């Protein structure tokens, strides 16, 4: 996998803070959630994070709770 893609990858158990860092540090403002077998679970954008905060999640919450699986 190329470096750009690797910089976008995140695991479901990682926290929202890590996803936010990925989104802020890349030109493509998205994080890609993959499982241990590198299978796509979903994506996270800044909008997903904002909606998560409105639902009561915080920076230490797991990203799987806000992952867009559609």
């Amino acid at each position: 996998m190329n470096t750009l893609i690797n910089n976008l990858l995140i695991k479901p158990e990682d926290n929202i803070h890590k996803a936010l860092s990925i989104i802020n540090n890349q030109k493509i403002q998205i994080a890609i959630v993959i499982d241990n077998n590198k299978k796509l679970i979903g994506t996270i954008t800044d909008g997903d994070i904002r909606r998560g905060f409105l639902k009561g999640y915080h920076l230490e919450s797991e990203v799987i709770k806000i992952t867009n699986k559609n």
Side-chain angles (χ1 to χ4, degrees), residues 26-38:
Q26 300 299 319
K27 289 182 181 181
I28 301 173
Q29 296 185 335
I30 192 169
I32 300 170
V33 183
I34 59 169
D35 65 15
N36 290 333
N37 296 320
K38 296 186 179 180

Side-chain angles (χ1 to χ4, degrees), residues 16 46-59 61 66:
I16 292 173
D46 62 337
D48 298 317
I49 293 172
R50 284 193 309 256
R51 284 185 289 279
F53 287 156
L54 289 173
K55 290 180 181 177
Y57 297 119
H58 49 84
L59 288 174
S61 297
I66 63 165

Side-chain angles (χ1 to χ4, degrees), residues 8-10 19 22-23 28-33 42-45:
L8 301 175
L9 301 178
I10 191 167
I22 289 171
I23 290 168
I28 301 173
Q29 296 185 335
I30 192 169
I32 300 170
V33 183
T43 61
I44 299 174
T45 63

